[in-house]
Amino acid sequence: MMDSGWTQQDVDAMRAALAAAETAANEGEIPVGAVVVAGDEIIATGRNSSIAARDPSAHAEIVALREAGARTGNYRLSDATLYVTLEPCVMCTGAMVQARVKRVVFGAYDRKAGALGSVEDLTDSKAFNHRFEVNGGLLADECAGLLQEFFEARR
């Protein structure tokens, strides 16, 4: 869903996720970044690192959730918001359900693999025992532009 009521914290967190995505691009990874916010603080940052880690699950969201769990000492992040520059895939959505995040905010819509409304909409899946708020489209042009530049440079 598109949300026009973004807070300054939302924008700042997404800018931090964009910075992580830029780092991923500089490392030759698909430029997706994520941060986990609890209260007023970024408690974890992740970026795509599947190539370097030789790990298909090393998406930005998973990396950030792992770091947040380690930092808090709990895999349950029930008061946290996850910000990510690209609409999460099915795998990452499942991880967010398991982490019990409160809210997910994403930038660019993923018309090929998005699981929060674009290709699939798992927000109301009967297979999941946890629901979270979803807000999409924050800094969408900047997030999509970073991905487009990355892929155009590789063609």
Side-chain angles (χ1 to χ4, degrees):
M1 101 174 82
M2 180 61 172
D3 188 310
S4 58
W6 303 115
T7 67
Q8 189 60 51
Q9 180 178 2
D10 290 334
V11 173
D12 292 346
M14 188 59 75
R15 292 223 179 275
L18 271 164
E22 289 171 1
T23 299
N26 292 335
E27 295 172 349
E29 301 276 356
I30 295 173
V32 178
V35 298
V36 177
V37 173
D40 294 334
E41 179 185 3
I42 293 175
I43 62 168
T45 302
R47 62 182 179 274
N48 273 6
S49 57
S50 293
I51 297 167
R54 296 175 186 86
D55 178 357
S57 70
H59 289 195
E61 301 95 311
I62 303 288
V63 173
L65 289 170
R66 285 178 180 154
E67 182 180 308
R71 180 160 182 205
T72 63
N74 192 343
Y75 76 97
R76 296 271 170 103
L77 303 167
S78 57
D79 290 326
T81 298
L82 183 133
Y83 294 83
V84 60
T85 58
L86 181 65
E87 180 182 357
C89 69
V90 172
M91 175 183 70
C92 293
T93 299
M96 289 179 260
V97 168
Q98 294 302 314
R100 306 295 196 265
V101 297
K102 182 177 182 178
R103 179 177 175 227
V104 175
V105 177
F106 66 86
Y109 287 84
D110 185 347
R111 308 279 184 224
K112 293 182 181 177
L116 295 180
S118 289
V119 176
E120 296 288 337
D121 188 355
L122 298 180
T123 58
D124 198 27
S125 173
K126 291 179 182 18
F128 293 145
N129 60 351
H130 172 72
R131 307 280 181 268
F132 49 81
E133 180 182 341
V134 176
N135 304 108
L138 175 57
L139 304 179
D141 291 343
E142 290 179 53
C143 294
L146 185 59
L147 286 158
Q148 289 167 346
E149 289 172 21
F150 177 81
F151 287 112
E152 284 173 4
R154 287 180 165 44
R155 289 187 188 136

Coordinates of all heavy atoms in Angstrom, one line a residue, residues 47-92:
R47 N 22.7 -5.8 4.2 CA 22.8 -5.6 2.8 C 22.9 -6.9 2.1 O 23.4 -7.9 2.7 CB 23.9 -4.7 2.4 CG 25.3 -5.2 2.7 CD 26.4 -4.2 2.3 NE 27.7 -4.7 2.7 CZ 28.3 -4.6 3.8 NH1 27.7 -4.0 4.8 NH2 29.5 -5.1 4.0
N48 N 22.5 -7.0 0.9 CA 22.6 -8.3 0.1 C 24.1 -8.7 0.2 O 25.0 -7.9 -0.1 CB 22.1 -8.1 -1.3 CG 20.6 -8.3 -1.5 OD1 19.9 -8.5 -0.5 ND2 20.2 -8.3 -2.7
S49 N 24.3 -10.0 0.5 CA 25.6 -10.5 0.5 C 25.7 -12.0 0.1 O 26.5 -12.7 0.5 CB 26.3 -10.3 1.9 OG 25.5 -10.9 2.9
S50 N 24.7 -12.4 -0.7 CA 24.6 -13.8 -1.2 C 25.9 -14.2 -1.9 O 26.3 -15.4 -1.7 CB 23.4 -14.0 -2.0 OG 22.2 -13.8 -1.3
I51 N 26.5 -13.4 -2.7 CA 27.6 -13.8 -3.5 C 28.8 -13.9 -2.6 O 29.5 -15.0 -2.6 CB 27.9 -12.7 -4.6 CG1 26.8 -12.7 -5.6 CG2 29.2 -13.0 -5.3 CD1 26.8 -11.5 -6.5
A52 N 29.1 -12.9 -1.8 CA 30.3 -13.0 -0.9 C 30.2 -14.1 0.2 O 31.1 -14.8 0.5 CB 30.5 -11.6 -0.2
A53 N 29.0 -14.3 0.7 CA 28.8 -15.3 1.7 C 28.5 -16.7 1.1 O 28.5 -17.6 1.9 CB 27.6 -14.9 2.6
R54 N 28.3 -16.7 -0.2 CA 28.0 -18.0 -0.8 C 26.8 -18.6 -0.1 O 26.7 -19.8 0.2 CB 29.2 -19.0 -0.8 CG 30.3 -18.5 -1.6 CD 31.5 -19.4 -1.5 NE 32.7 -18.9 -2.2 CZ 33.5 -18.0 -1.6 NH1 33.4 -17.6 -0.4 NH2 34.6 -17.5 -2.3
D55 N 25.8 -17.7 0.1 CA 24.6 -18.1 0.9 C 23.4 -17.5 0.2 O 23.2 -16.3 0.2 CB 24.8 -17.5 2.3 CG 23.6 -17.8 3.2 OD1 22.6 -18.4 2.8 OD2 23.6 -17.4 4.4
P56 N 22.5 -18.4 -0.4 CA 21.3 -17.9 -1.0 C 20.3 -17.2 -0.1 O 19.5 -16.4 -0.6 CB 20.7 -19.1 -1.6 CG 21.2 -20.3 -0.8 CD 22.6 -19.8 -0.4
S57 N 20.5 -17.4 1.2 CA 19.6 -16.7 2.1 C 20.1 -15.4 2.6 O 19.5 -14.7 3.4 CB 19.3 -17.6 3.3 OG 20.4 -17.7 4.2
A58 N 21.3 -14.9 2.2 CA 21.9 -13.7 2.7 C 21.3 -12.5 2.0 O 22.0 -11.6 1.5 CB 23.4 -13.8 2.5
H59 N 20.0 -12.4 2.0 CA 19.3 -11.2 1.5 C 19.4 -10.1 2.6 O 19.6 -10.4 3.8 CB 17.9 -11.4 1.2 CG 17.6 -12.3 0.0 ND1 16.4 -12.3 -0.6 CD2 18.4 -13.0 -0.7 CE1 16.4 -13.2 -1.6 NE2 17.7 -13.6 -1.7
A60 N 19.3 -8.9 2.2 CA 19.5 -7.7 3.2 C 18.6 -7.9 4.4 O 19.0 -7.6 5.5 CB 19.2 -6.4 2.5
E61 N 17.3 -8.3 4.2 CA 16.4 -8.4 5.3 C 16.9 -9.5 6.3 O 16.8 -9.3 7.5 CB 15.0 -8.8 4.8 CG 14.4 -7.8 3.8 CD 14.6 -8.2 2.4 OE1 15.8 -8.5 2.0 OE2 13.7 -8.2 1.6
I62 N 17.3 -10.6 5.8 CA 17.7 -11.7 6.6 C 19.0 -11.3 7.4 O 19.1 -11.6 8.6 CB 18.0 -13.0 5.8 CG1 16.8 -13.4 4.9 CG2 18.6 -14.1 6.6 CD1 15.7 -14.0 5.7
V63 N 19.9 -10.7 6.7 CA 21.1 -10.2 7.4 C 20.8 -9.3 8.5 O 21.3 -9.4 9.6 CB 22.1 -9.6 6.4 CG1 23.3 -9.0 7.1 CG2 22.6 -10.6 5.3
A64 N 19.9 -8.3 8.3 CA 19.5 -7.4 9.3 C 18.8 -8.0 10.4 O 19.0 -7.7 11.6 CB 18.7 -6.2 8.7
L65 N 17.9 -8.9 10.1 CA 17.1 -9.6 11.2 C 18.1 -10.5 12.1 O 17.9 -10.5 13.3 CB 16.0 -10.5 10.6 CG 14.8 -9.8 10.0 CD1 13.9 -10.8 9.2 CD2 14.1 -9.0 11.1
R66 N 19.1 -11.1 11.4 CA 20.0 -11.9 12.2 C 20.8 -11.0 13.2 O 21.0 -11.3 14.3 CB 21.0 -12.6 11.3 CG 20.4 -13.8 10.6 CD 21.4 -14.4 9.6 NE 20.8 -15.6 9.0 CZ 21.2 -16.0 7.8 NH1 22.2 -15.4 7.1 NH2 20.6 -17.1 7.3
E67 N 21.3 -9.8 12.6 CA 22.0 -8.9 13.5 C 21.2 -8.4 14.6 O 21.6 -8.2 15.8 CB 22.6 -7.8 12.6 CG 23.4 -6.8 13.4 CD 23.9 -5.6 12.6 OE1 24.6 -5.9 11.5 OE2 23.7 -4.5 13.0
A68 N 19.9 -8.0 14.3 CA 19.0 -7.5 15.3 C 18.8 -8.6 16.4 O 18.7 -8.2 17.6 CB 17.7 -7.1 14.7
G69 N 18.6 -9.8 16.0 CA 18.4 -10.9 17.0 C 19.6 -11.1 17.9 O 19.5 -11.2 19.1
A70 N 20.8 -11.0 17.3 CA 22.0 -11.1 18.1 C 22.2 -9.9 19.0 O 22.6 -10.1 20.2 CB 23.2 -11.2 17.1
R71 N 21.9 -8.8 18.5 CA 22.0 -7.6 19.4 C 21.1 -7.6 20.6 O 21.4 -7.2 21.7 CB 21.9 -6.3 18.5 CG 22.1 -5.1 19.4 CD 22.4 -3.9 18.6 NE 22.6 -2.7 19.4 CZ 22.4 -1.5 19.1 NH1 22.1 -1.2 17.8 NH2 22.6 -0.5 20.0
T72 N 19.8 -8.0 20.3 CA 18.8 -7.9 21.4 C 18.8 -9.2 22.2 O 18.2 -9.2 23.3 CB 17.4 -7.7 20.8 OG1 17.1 -8.9 20.0 CG2 17.3 -6.5 20.0
G73 N 19.5 -10.2 21.7 CA 19.5 -11.5 22.5 C 18.2 -12.2 22.3 O 17.8 -13.1 23.1
N74 N 17.4 -11.9 21.3 CA 16.1 -12.5 21.1 C 15.7 -12.5 19.6 O 15.8 -11.4 19.0 CB 15.0 -11.8 21.9 CG 13.7 -12.6 22.0 OD1 13.4 -13.5 21.2 ND2 12.9 -12.2 22.9
Y75 N 15.3 -13.6 19.1 CA 14.9 -13.6 17.7 C 13.5 -13.0 17.4 O 13.2 -12.6 16.3 CB 14.9 -15.0 17.1 CG 13.8 -15.9 17.5 CD1 12.7 -16.1 16.7 CD2 13.8 -16.6 18.7 CE1 11.6 -16.9 17.1 CE2 12.7 -17.4 19.1 CZ 11.6 -17.5 18.3 OH 10.6 -18.3 18.7
R76 N 12.8 -12.8 18.5 CA 11.5 -12.1 18.4 C 11.7 -10.6 18.5 O 12.3 -10.1 19.4 CB 10.6 -12.6 19.5 CG 10.2 -14.0 19.5 CD 9.0 -14.2 18.6 NE 8.7 -15.6 18.3 CZ 7.8 -16.4 18.9 NH1 7.1 -15.9 19.8 NH2 7.6 -17.6 18.5
L77 N 11.3 -9.9 17.5 CA 11.5 -8.5 17.3 C 10.1 -7.8 17.3 O 9.8 -7.0 16.4 CB 12.3 -8.2 16.1 CG 13.7 -8.9 16.1 CD1 14.3 -8.8 14.7 CD2 14.6 -8.3 17.1
S78 N 9.3 -8.1 18.2 CA 7.9 -7.7 18.2 C 7.6 -6.2 18.2 O 6.5 -5.7 17.9 CB 7.1 -8.4 19.3 OG 7.6 -8.1 20.5
D79 N 8.6 -5.4 18.6 CA 8.4 -3.9 18.6 C 9.2 -3.2 17.5 O 9.4 -2.0 17.5 CB 8.8 -3.3 20.0 CG 7.8 -3.7 21.1 OD1 6.6 -3.8 20.8 OD2 8.2 -3.9 22.2
A80 N 9.7 -4.0 16.6 CA 10.6 -3.5 15.6 C 10.0 -3.2 14.3 O 9.0 -3.9 13.9 CB 11.8 -4.4 15.4
T81 N 10.5 -2.3 13.5 CA 10.2 -2.0 12.2 C 11.4 -2.3 11.3 O 12.5 -1.9 11.6 CB 9.8 -0.5 12.0 OG1 8.6 -0.2 12.8 CG2 9.5 -0.2 10.5
L82 N 11.1 -3.1 10.2 CA 12.2 -3.4 9.2 C 12.0 -2.5 8.0 O 10.9 -2.4 7.5 CB 12.1 -4.8 8.9 CG 13.3 -5.2 7.9 CD1 13.9 -6.5 8.4 CD2 12.7 -5.4 6.5
Y83 N 13.0 -1.8 7.6 CA 13.0 -0.9 6.4 C 13.9 -1.6 5.4 O 15.0 -2.0 5.7 CB 13.5 0.5 6.7 CG 12.7 1.3 7.7 CD1 12.8 1.1 9.1 CD2 11.8 2.2 7.2 CE1 12.0 1.9 9.9 CE2 11.0 3.0 8.1 CZ 11.1 2.8 9.4 OH 10.3 3.5 10.3
V84 N 13.4 -1.7 4.2 CA 14.2 -2.4 3.1 C 13.9 -1.6 1.8 O 12.8 -1.2 1.6 CB 13.8 -3.9 3.0 CG1 12.4 -4.1 2.8 CG2 14.7 -4.6 2.1
T85 N 14.9 -1.5 1.0 CA 14.8 -0.7 -0.2 C 14.0 -1.4 -1.3 O 13.6 -0.7 -2.3 CB 16.3 -0.4 -0.8 OG1 17.0 -1.6 -1.0 CG2 17.0 0.5 0.3
L86 N 13.8 -2.7 -1.2 CA 13.0 -3.4 -2.3 C 12.0 -4.3 -1.6 O 12.3 -4.9 -0.5 CB 14.0 -4.3 -3.1 CG 13.4 -5.1 -4.2 CD1 12.8 -4.2 -5.3 CD2 14.4 -6.1 -4.8
E87 N 10.8 -4.3 -2.1 CA 9.8 -5.2 -1.6 C 10.3 -6.6 -1.3 O 10.9 -7.2 -2.2 CB 8.6 -5.2 -2.6 CG 7.4 -6.1 -2.2 CD 6.3 -6.1 -3.2 OE1 6.5 -5.4 -4.3 OE2 5.3 -6.8 -3.0
P88 N 10.1 -7.1 -0.1 CA 10.6 -8.4 0.2 C 10.0 -9.6 -0.6 O 8.9 -9.5 -1.1 CB 10.2 -8.6 1.7 CG 10.1 -7.2 2.2 CD 9.5 -6.4 1.0
C89 N 10.9 -10.6 -0.8 CA 10.5 -11.9 -1.4 C 9.8 -12.8 -0.5 O 9.6 -12.5 0.7 CB 11.7 -12.5 -2.0 SG 12.8 -13.2 -0.8
V90 N 9.3 -13.9 -0.9 CA 8.6 -14.9 -0.1 C 9.5 -15.3 1.1 O 9.1 -15.4 2.2 CB 8.2 -16.1 -0.9 CG1 7.6 -17.2 -0.1 CG2 7.1 -15.7 -2.0
M91 N 10.8 -15.7 0.8 CA 11.7 -16.1 1.9 C 11.8 -15.1 3.0 O 11.7 -15.4 4.2 CB 13.1 -16.4 1.3 CG 14.1 -16.8 2.3 SD 15.8 -17.1 1.7 CE 16.2 -15.4 1.2
C92 N 12.1 -13.8 2.6 CA 12.2 -12.8 3.6 C 11.0 -12.5 4.3 O 11.0 -12.2 5.5 CB 12.8 -11.5 2.9 SG 14.5 -11.8 2.3

